[in-house]
């Protein structure tokens, strides 16, 4: 393991493991009654120190396996020469569990414990329960410690990933809310400009035209009235330009029919969405911006509900222009629902476009909103908005 990736707690445990190995090897060398045992302890310590220092052992699994094999071989020589070498088995347990895969580490720990017990018996020391319990208990403690730490580490990593996902999701939601708020404010300003300034300027134009007609010929006020009418006309055009610029981006590239047609293009409703067809009935007429915004948003919301909830294979959007009204129909062949069960649901406070919110949009413009559906029979949504009265030469 790269020391740079260790936490302070793991660095402390690593230092403790080094000290434990050095202490046990020193104990084996001191209590050994032969120079060969001392030499074997020194060689084992040198091999261990080489693994702690060499970068290749930390960076290559093959190098780590070769180092671990050399360390175990030198330890077995130490066991053969002196029974005191069995105490080194305890730090070896942690190394085996750390460096080897689970399918190899557990059998290796068992073999190491068996070698420690066999060495004690081979050297003819007095047998007692501690001879067997000590190495086996040490192995069990090492296995429980390492496996417990690995479980905690996995849980910690899982929580870390969840926190990172939560932070990323929160940032995305904040960006989406800002974007939605910006679009809502643009729509509100466009509606306010249209309903106040634009309509007021239109009325001023009408009044000035009427004043021009009743003025006596050659009146000195005629020129001033003409200038006022042209100024009102220019400002009305400017106000309408503001309304167009503040309209939803989907309407910036063309008419409402064009925006609805783009909404029905393949891929716009997702790869698993239904096939959507768009058609226009009647003679298309220019609609006020609030009408276009409301109809587009209702179509988007209805189609989103079809994708999320209906499980439909086909859907159709129809925009119909009649003498006194414009109608939008969204029909799908999905699983349908009980209309009465959702009739009392109120729009969410975050501006979600559910059925009640779509109804509120239509009714705010003096229109009607109807839903026809039944379980297993699909859904049909119809919105009808009355066309505003128009005065010749001055569109509202």
């Amino acid at each position: 393991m790269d020391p740079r990736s260790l936490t302070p707690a793991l660095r402390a445990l690593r230092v403790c493991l080094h000290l434990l190995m050095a202490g046990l090897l020193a104990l084996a060398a001191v209590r050994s009654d032969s120079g060969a045992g001392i030499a074997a302890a020194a060689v084992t310590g040198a091999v261990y120190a080489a693994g702690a220092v060499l970068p290749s052992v930390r960076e290559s699994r093959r190098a780590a396996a070769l180092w671990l094999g050399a360390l175990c071989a030198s330890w077995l020589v130490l066991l053969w020469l002196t029974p005191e070498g069995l105490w080194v088995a305890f730090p070896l347990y942690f190394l085996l569990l750390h460096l080897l895969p689970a399918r190899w580490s557990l059998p290796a720990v068992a073999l190491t414990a068996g070698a420690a017990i066999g060495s004690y018996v081979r050297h003819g020391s007095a047998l007692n329960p501690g001879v067997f319990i000590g190495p086996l208990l040490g192995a069990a403690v090492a296995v429980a410690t390492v496996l417990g730490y690995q479980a905690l580490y996995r849980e910690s990593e899982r929580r870390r990933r969840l926190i990172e996902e939560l932070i990323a999701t929160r940032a995305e939601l904040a960006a989406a809310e800002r974007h939605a708020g910006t679009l809502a404010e643009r729509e509100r300003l466009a509606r306010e400009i249209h309903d106040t300034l634009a309509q007021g300027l239109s009325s001023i134009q009408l009044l000035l035209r009427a004043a021009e007609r009743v003025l006596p010929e050659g009146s000195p006020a005629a020129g001033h009235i003409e200038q006022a009418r042209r100024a009102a006309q220019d400002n009305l055009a400017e106000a309408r330009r503001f309304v167009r610029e503040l309209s939803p981006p989907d309407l910036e590239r063309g008419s409402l029919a064009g925006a609805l047609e783009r909404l029905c293009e393949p891929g716009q409703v997702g790869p698993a969405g239904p096939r959507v067809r768009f058609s226009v009935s009647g003679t298309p007429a220019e609609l006020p911006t609030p009408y276009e915004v409301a109809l587009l948003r209702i179509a988007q919301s209805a189609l989103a509900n079809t994708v999320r909830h209906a499980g439909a294979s086909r859907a159709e959007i129809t925009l119909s222009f009649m003498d006194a009204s414009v109608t939008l129909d969204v029909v799908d062949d999905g699983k349908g629902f009980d209309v009465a069960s959702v009739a009392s649901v109120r729009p969410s406070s975050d501006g979600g476009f559910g059925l009640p919110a779509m109804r509120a949009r239509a009714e705010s413009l003096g229109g009607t909103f109807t839903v026809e559906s039944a379980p297993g029979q699909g859904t049909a949504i119809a919105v009808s908005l009355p066309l505003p009265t128009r005065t010749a030469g001055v569109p509202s």
Side-chain angles (χ1 to χ4, degrees):
M1 179 180 293
D2 189 345
R4 294 171 296 180
S5 66
L6 298 176
T7 64
L10 290 178
R11 289 193 184 95
L13 290 175
R14 192 167 182 263
V15 170
C16 290
L17 182 62
H18 294 338
L19 294 176
L20 178 62
M21 177 65 80
L24 292 176
L25 287 173
L27 177 64
V30 169
R31 300 188 59 175
S32 176
D33 55 0
S34 67
I38 297 174
V43 171
T44 303
V47 174
Y48 180 82
V53 172
L54 293 176
S56 59
V57 175
R58 296 190 298 268
E59 298 169 357
S60 169
R61 286 184 175 273
R62 180 178 177 85
L66 292 175
W67 170 75
L68 188 59
L71 181 63
C72 290
S74 62
W75 175 69
L76 290 175
V77 173
L78 179 62
L79 277 183
W80 184 268
L81 297 174
T82 174
E84 305 300 335
L86 68 89
W87 303 112
V88 182
F90 189 70
L92 279 178
Y93 296 152
F94 289 97
L95 290 174
L96 293 169
L97 291 168
H98 176 67
L99 295 176
L100 295 179
R103 65 179 181 275
W104 298 109
S105 60
L106 295 180
V109 167
L111 290 175
T112 302
I117 296 172
S119 172
Y120 196 86
V121 173
R122 174 184 173 279
H123 287 281
S125 301
L127 296 180
N128 56 72
V131 173
F132 301 94
I133 295 176
L136 294 176
L137 183 60
V141 169
V143 169
T145 301
V146 172
L147 294 183
Y149 167 76
Q150 291 175 350
L152 290 175
Y153 178 78
R154 288 193 296 269
E155 179 66 17
S156 175
E157 285 295 296
R158 188 181 69 85
R159 290 179 180 272
R160 181 184 61 79
R161 288 192 297 269
L162 288 176
I163 291 172
E164 291 177 351
E165 292 175 3
L166 178 61
I167 293 174
T169 301
R170 185 170 61 182
E172 292 174 0
L173 287 176
E177 289 177 0
R178 287 193 298 271
H179 182 65
T182 301
L183 292 181
E185 184 64 12
R186 286 162 58 102
E187 291 179 22
R188 187 188 69 81
L189 289 175
R191 185 167 57 251
E192 293 295 329
I193 292 174
H194 177 275
D195 294 343
T196 57
L197 296 179
Q199 296 294 347
L201 291 170
S202 294
S203 299
I204 292 172
Q205 275 194 288
L206 291 175
L207 293 173
L208 291 173
R209 284 180 182 276
E212 282 181 323
R213 286 194 295 269
V214 301
L215 280 176
E217 185 176 354
S219 171
H224 298 293
I225 292 178
E226 174 66 17
Q227 290 179 358
R229 189 183 65 79
R230 290 186 180 278
Q233 183 177 3
D234 293 341
N235 281 274
L236 177 60
E238 189 73 7
R240 284 173 175 160
R241 185 179 67 82
F242 288 151
V243 169
R244 287 193 299 271
E245 291 178 353
L246 291 171
S247 297
D250 296 313
L251 294 173
E252 291 179 355
R253 293 177 290 173
S255 64
L256 172 63
L260 291 175
E261 188 172 7
R262 288 192 297 272
L263 182 64
C264 300
E265 291 177 355
Q268 293 297 315
V269 296
R275 297 191 305 276
V276 186
R277 188 177 67 174
F278 172 70
S279 59
V280 178
S281 174
T283 302
E286 182 181 356
L287 297 175
T289 299
Y291 279 46
E292 292 186 337
V293 172
L295 293 174
L296 176 61
R297 293 300 188 221
I298 290 173
Q300 289 173 331
S301 180
L303 196 57
N305 286 344
T306 298
V307 173
R308 287 196 299 264
H309 307 300
S313 60
R314 296 191 309 276
E316 183 170 353
I317 298 178
T318 303
L319 183 63
S320 303
F321 292 90
M322 291 171 277
D323 292 338
S325 64
V326 58
T327 302
L328 177 73
D329 297 285
V330 182
V331 182
D332 66 65
D333 62 352
K335 59 186 178 182
F337 60 94
D338 183 4
V339 177
S341 65
V342 299
S344 61
V345 178
R346 298 179 62 83
S348 61
S349 60
D350 61 357
F353 300 117
L355 291 177
M358 286 188 274
R359 184 186 303 277
R361 272 192 181 274
E363 293 178 351
S364 68
L365 296 174
T368 60
F369 178 84
T370 57
V371 181
E372 296 181 3
S373 183
Q377 298 183 18
T379 302
I381 292 176
V383 181
S384 179
L385 300 179
L387 290 176
T389 58
R390 299 173 181 265
T391 303
V394 183
S396 62

